[in-house]
Amino acid sequence: MQLNILPKINSPADLRKLNSVELNKLADELRHFTIETVTEIGGHLAPTLGVIELTVALHRVFNTPDDKIVWDVGHQGYAHKILTGRLDKFNTIRKMGGLSGFLKISESEYDAFGAGHASTSISAATGIAEAQKINGKDHRVVSVIGDGSMTGGLAFEAMNNAGHLKTPMLVVLNDNEMSISPNVGALNTYLTKIVTNPIYNQIRTEIWNVAGKFTFGKRTIQKILSKAEDSLKSFLVPGMLFEELGFRYFGPIDGHNLDELVSTLDRIKDLKTPCILHILTKKGKGMVSTNANNNNYYLDAVKFHAVKPSNKANGKINKKTVPPLIKTPVFQDVFGSLACEIARNRKDTVCITAAMREGTGLVPYAKEFASRYYDVGIAEGHGVTFAAGLATQNVRPIVAIYSTFLQRAYDHIIHDAAIQHLPVVFCMDRAGIAGEDGPTHHGALDIAYLKCIQDLIVTAPKDGNELRHLLYTALDYSNGPFSIRYPKASSVNFDLKGQAELLPIGSWEVCRKSNGGTVILAVGPQVFDAINAANNLSNNGIECEVVNCRFIKPMDTDYLNSITGKFENVITIEEGVKTGGFGESVASWLITHGYKGNVDIISLPDEFVEHGPRDLLLEKWGVNQNGIVKAVTNKANSSKIQL
């Protein structure tokens, strides 16, 4: 497709000069450019394709950046980035040093709020709208939230508060489900035209005001009018839930009809009340089937949610350029296989996830054990408390949630699982560096935020086989919650037909022995970095013992006690932050038990790590084989303990 209009759009002010025909042409070019670019370089695709027309309409109707648009999650904001002066940099998105894959306040004045976790936009928009009142400004505020994000309780907490405050703001509910038939959709489009008409709103207000002027019985008359309006809406409009929360409901309308979007937004943009506009869209429009009766729509929408880098070929993935699959499965697939294995052996187990069936590897489990699989939606806190409830009735729940998303359930882990000593098993994928999704998705904090919780076991397998051992050990443990962390990476070793081994709680494994010199205490797959580093160092006359510290808490204090007079140097390595991490626990224990040698901690820095390939980020921060070699060499003759 020839791009004639898009290259001329340097800011939203430029698109506000276009007529209707040109706006629709811009939307077509924007969709084509997004498909061509993202299928070439990789990134989130289907979410943005579903909001192309909405993005154009919002920037046409609202005076951004003075008016604020708050996007939920952010991976639906690619078109927004392109239209707000980042067209020439778009091919750097998600690349190390390039544009973020999510919205970022420091990246553009048009990015009103950054988010990588779902369900935050209405809360943030409410705060921004209230700040406008406090600061004496009258700019408009819009929150764009997907139907999936509306499964998160935070969204409804925000609506409850905004409705109570009567904060003037607009929530756009982007609904990409196929549950409304054309007839119902057409009827509601018609109703929306009526209720968004300025004359209708004026008449509605005048009738209410006239009723208020009656000398006698005005409250009764207003109450009757209110009940009549609510009854009519309850019968005709599917938005009474939002109305009861204090939001005027409009819709649903076709989210791909640009003219209808512009007209509707223009009519409701200045209403001085909380409003919600319900739009119907197709996730992945332009790349996936949009037939409501075609099951492939849902499969393709998931498939094209995010794509790997590939040469472009008519908007489709060129399979020839996709790298061959590695022989050893990644940890998430190992977990999925083991979840099925365990379910066949133990009828008392269930699996719970929070809208991440594919990401956590539970697709096979969901198919084979549908009655024992629970997807609670984007509601991590509920998922944990739900699991705790199950655990009180002798059901053994395995909760599979990304490390970074489990942060959202922190109080539930403490209050509902740990304090009550309930045996809930937490399996945390994406522990450590998550890659191109960046700081909102890096699982850098879980060791620190879990290690401080009383009576909670914290572990990390070095490979897929040890993940099996830890899962069975966790299910054998009944005194409290048990956590297992693993990265978005190869499982290194995994025997599909292997046998489980119950590991003594708090036990470590010596993988490479040495009679003195330096001991390397490694967590997770960094054990293999440590072994390789030790072998290289041995060639240079520096001997190292390597220990697999699979139990982060409790630590193997018997082993620690045995090394206090044996090794001059202790090196720890973990794919997590230093503050509150494993290394600090080791250093603290050694110091309080009289260790006089050198201690060095290899970890992620005390800052939010940028987005980029996992291997490059680990190399940058020295959390790998090269980092270990450097640390051991530098500390071999040191006599000062460094924390």
Side-chain angles (χ1 to χ4, degrees):
M1 174 184 289
Q2 183 72 30
L3 301 181
N4 297 315
I5 299 177
L6 183 59
K8 300 176 183 177
I9 305 299
N10 296 311
S11 74
D14 294 326
L15 69 82
R16 295 179 195 128
K17 302 172 185 177
L18 304 179
N19 59 36
S20 176
V21 174
E22 292 169 327
L23 271 184
N24 279 277
K25 175 64 175 174
L26 172 63
D28 291 340
E29 292 184 11
L30 186 55
R31 177 170 279 109
H32 176 80
F33 175 78
T34 303
I35 291 174
E36 288 288 293
T37 305
V38 177
T39 53
E40 175 75 11
I41 65 175
H44 292 102
L45 182 56
T48 281
L49 296 181
V51 295
I52 292 290
E53 289 80 10
L54 174 63
T55 306
V56 173
L58 287 172
H59 283 295
R60 170 59 177 257
V61 173
F62 292 92
N63 185 34
T64 54
D66 291 334
D67 291 342
K68 309 299 182 185
I69 302 175
V70 181
W71 296 88
D72 207 272
V73 182
H75 54 48
Q76 60 185 337
Y78 283 18
H80 162 83
K81 287 176 179 274
I82 294 169
L83 295 177
T84 53
R86 286 167 275 185
L87 173 65
D88 59 335
K89 297 180 180 178
F90 188 66
N91 62 352
T92 71
I93 199 163
R94 289 166 55 89
K95 293 182 179 179
M96 198 164 174
L99 293 178
S100 169
F102 298 93
L103 302 189
K104 194 174 182 180
I105 293 175
S106 61
E107 189 176 285
S108 171
E109 62 179 336
Y110 292 93
D111 293 0
F113 195 81
H117 293 185
S119 311
T120 63
S121 63
I122 303 178
S123 293
T126 303
I128 292 172
E130 282 296 305
Q132 300 280 47
K133 294 194 313 188
I134 293 171
N135 295 329
K137 296 182 179 179
D138 195 29
H139 298 145
R140 310 174 189 94
V141 180
V142 181
S143 161
V144 182
I145 188 168
D147 52 353
S149 293
M150 288 298 289
T151 64
L154 184 64
F156 289 96
E157 292 175 24
M159 293 193 74
N160 180 58
N161 184 230
H164 170 72
L165 293 172
K166 295 181 170 53
T167 306
M169 62 182 293
L170 171 64
V171 173
V172 178
L173 173 57
N174 173 30
D175 180 357
N176 55 38
E177 285 295 322
M178 308 289 291
S179 58
I180 300 179
S181 66
N183 288 336
V184 175
L187 172 64
N188 280 284
T189 299
Y190 173 72
L191 291 173
T192 300
K193 288 181 179 179
I194 295 176
V195 299
T196 60
N197 191 303
I199 297 176
Y200 168 85
N201 282 296
Q202 182 178 351
I203 293 174
R204 180 180 183 274
T205 302
E206 288 299 324
I207 290 176
W208 188 262
N209 290 338
V210 169
K213 293 179 181 179
F214 281 94
T215 306
F216 300 101
K218 65 179 181 180
R219 291 184 178 179
T220 301
I221 294 172
Q222 286 182 333
K223 187 175 182 180
I224 292 172
L225 288 173
S226 178
K227 286 186 175 180
E229 182 179 21
D230 286 348
S231 297
L232 179 62
K233 285 183 176 178
S234 295
F235 181 71
L236 295 176
V237 181
M240 276 307 294
L241 171 62
F242 302 113
E243 294 269 351
E244 292 297 328
L245 287 171
F247 279 70
R248 291 286 309 279
Y249 174 88
F250 304 99
I253 65 172
D254 183 357
H256 297 301
N257 186 327
L258 182 54
D259 294 333
E260 185 72 23
L261 279 171
V262 170
S263 174
T264 303
L265 288 170
D266 196 51
R267 291 181 178 189
I268 66 178
K269 66 181 181 181
D270 289 318
L271 293 178
K272 301 301 182 182
T273 185
C275 300
I276 184 165
L277 173 63
H278 183 180
I279 69 170
L280 304 178
T281 64
K282 303 293 189 298
K283 184 176 181 180
K285 181 176 172 60
M287 276 198 84
V288 305
S289 167
T290 56
N291 183 353
N293 297 317
N294 186 353
N295 290 331
N296 288 332
Y297 165 62
Y298 299 100
L299 297 175
D300 286 347
V302 171
K303 175 182 177 182
F304 292 114
H305 175 80
V307 297
K308 299 291 185 181
S310 173
N311 290 334
K312 55 189 177 183
N314 298 321
K316 297 181 179 180
I317 301 300
N318 185 345
K319 294 182 179 179
K320 292 182 180 180
T321 63
V322 176
L325 293 175
I326 56 176
K327 293 182 180 179
T328 304
V330 294
F331 271 104
Q332 73 179 55
D333 292 337
V334 170
F335 169 74
S337 174
L338 292 174
C340 292
E341 176 184 305
I342 288 169
R344 297 183 196 110
N345 296 329
R346 293 190 55 153
K347 305 301 182 183
D348 61 341
T349 58
V350 300
C351 281
I352 302 167
T353 191
M356 293 301 293
R357 180 183 63 178
E358 288 78 16
T360 57
L362 285 175
V363 172
Y365 183 96
K367 292 179 179 179
E368 186 175 351
F369 302 98
S371 64
R372 295 159 63 184
Y373 167 75
Y374 298 94
D375 185 340
V376 298
I378 303 175
E380 292 86 357
H382 163 66
V384 171
T385 303
F386 171 60
L390 287 167
T392 66
Q393 303 303 309
N394 298 318
V395 175
R396 296 305 304 269
I398 301 172
V399 181
I401 297 178
Y402 288 5
S403 166
T404 180
F405 296 154
L406 194 60
Q407 295 165 188
R408 314 186 88 189
Y410 194 57
D411 177 64
H412 305 263
I413 297 170
I414 299 169
H415 181 270
D416 301 324
I419 287 179
Q420 302 185 88
H421 309 289
L422 294 173
V424 178
V425 180
F426 297 102
C427 291
M428 297 170 292
D429 203 337
R430 271 60 168 180
I433 297 298
E436 288 78 0
D437 283 337
T440 59
H441 283 56
H442 293 328
L445 302 173
D446 61 85
I447 293 177
Y449 74 68
L450 292 178
K451 190 169 63 66
C452 64
I453 299 176
Q454 300 93 320
D455 296 330
L456 189 148
I457 306 296
V458 183
T459 71
K462 69 178 187 297
D463 59 17
N465 293 325
E466 194 163 65
L467 176 55
R468 173 187 278 117
H469 302 331
L470 286 172
L471 272 169
Y472 278 91
T473 301
L475 291 168
D476 187 63
Y477 181 77
S478 59
N479 295 332
F482 194 111
S483 69
I484 307 172
R485 74 183 311 256
Y486 42 90
K488 183 183 180 182
S490 167
S491 62
V492 189
N493 300 302
F494 180 61
D495 181 359
L496 185 62
K497 298 180 180 180
Q499 296 298 310
E501 175 187 344
L502 296 181
L503 304 174
I505 301 297
S507 65
W508 291 351
E509 174 193 26
V510 178
C511 299
R512 187 182 190 278
K513 290 185 176 293
S514 173
N515 293 323
T518 298
V519 59
I520 305 170
L521 306 180
V523 170
Q526 268 73 33
V527 167
F528 296 100
D529 285 316
I531 292 172
N532 292 333
N535 290 336
N536 291 339
L537 288 162
S538 180
N539 295 331
N540 295 320
I542 301 176
E543 288 302 321
C544 298
E545 183 156 299
V546 176
V547 182
N548 168 24
C549 302
R550 54 201 177 194
F551 283 90
I552 299 168
K553 178 190 173 185
M555 298 188 297
D556 191 335
T557 54
D558 288 340
Y559 177 81
L560 286 174
N561 191 59
S562 74
I563 70 171
T564 54
K566 181 178 179 181
F567 295 100
E568 297 176 0
N569 306 297
V570 175
I571 305 290
T572 69
I573 180 168
E574 63 197 288
E575 198 172 335
V577 293
K578 178 179 180 180
T579 304
F582 170 72
E584 284 200 345
S585 291
V586 170
S588 176
W589 192 96
L590 289 173
I591 289 174
T592 56
H593 287 77
Y595 181 64
K596 302 300 183 181
N598 306 312
V599 178
D600 195 25
I601 299 171
I602 300 174
S603 64
L604 296 177
D606 187 21
E607 62 183 77
F608 292 105
V609 176
E610 63 185 307
H611 61 276
R614 180 170 177 271
D615 289 346
L616 292 182
L617 292 174
L618 292 177
E619 174 67 27
K620 177 179 179 178
W621 298 107
V623 188
N624 62 2
Q625 179 179 333
N626 291 336
I628 295 171
V629 170
K630 182 178 179 181
V632 173
T633 302
N634 289 343
K635 296 300 179 182
N637 299 314
S638 174
S639 60
K640 181 180 179 181
I641 296 179
Q642 298 184 6
L643 299 179

